[in-house]
Amino acid sequence: MKNVLTGFKDFILRGSVLDLAIGIVIGGAFAALVDSLVHNFISPLIAMFFGKPDFSSALILVINKAEFRFGAILTEIVNFVAIGAAIYFVVVLPMNKLQERRKAGLEITSEDPSADVALLTEIRDLLAQQNGSKSN
């Protein structure tokens, strides 16, 4: 029984499980934020131009008492595009910019080393030369 509990503890404390849990919590909070954006900003904009906050009561086709609500589908498409845009502009675009900056910072742009790098290289070479002469 102790081995089972130890194994479970190791599993739970693994980095990937904690990262997943944190991602789910943050994802839920972000979903609430985007949902609020859609319902409190985008839906009123739609209502301002079309008279209603969504298209669910528009574009209804009735055939043999079966209702096809194309307006509801259009509303969900607008919500999906709004969520996608929010994720792109709030998460993806800043992360891409951050990665570009990190890559640019890691690359050496000039062919000649800076003064401190040249000095360190000279010290390294002198130390290697001294160690080589002592061992001979």
Side-chain angles (χ1 to χ4, degrees):
M1 183 69 169
K2 186 175 181 180
N3 289 337
V4 172
L5 292 177
T6 302
F8 180 71
K9 182 182 97 177
D10 292 343
F11 170 73
I12 291 298
L13 295 178
R14 224 183 268 167
S16 57
V17 174
L18 292 175
D19 290 344
L20 178 62
I22 291 167
I24 289 171
V25 171
I26 290 175
F30 187 74
L33 176 70
V34 172
D35 189 48
S36 177
L37 175 72
V38 168
H39 291 303
N40 296 315
F41 182 72
I42 295 174
S43 293
L45 281 177
I46 292 171
M48 186 172 69
F49 291 109
F50 298 105
K52 295 181 182 177
D54 60 19
F55 305 111
S56 60
S57 61
L59 301 171
I60 299 174
L61 177 63
V62 179
I63 301 175
N64 291 333
K65 297 181 183 177
E67 291 184 352
F68 298 93
R69 297 183 174 268
F70 295 106
I73 296 170
L74 183 60
T75 298
E76 294 305 319
I77 290 172
V78 168
N79 290 345
F80 176 78
V81 169
I83 291 169
I87 289 172
Y88 179 76
F89 289 111
V90 173
V91 177
V92 174
L93 191 63
M95 288 304 293
N96 287 344
K97 293 292 183 186
L98 182 63
Q99 286 179 347
E100 286 175 15
R101 287 182 183 170
R102 285 185 179 165
K103 285 180 183 177
L106 294 177
E107 295 174 1
I108 298 173
T109 55
S110 66
E111 303 251 340
D112 296 329
S114 61
D116 56 344
V117 173
L119 181 61
L120 288 171
T121 304
E122 186 178 338
I123 293 170
R124 180 199 65 199
D125 293 341
L126 288 172
L127 287 172
Q129 187 179 23
Q130 285 178 350
N131 287 338
S133 63
K134 286 183 182 178
S135 63
N136 289 336

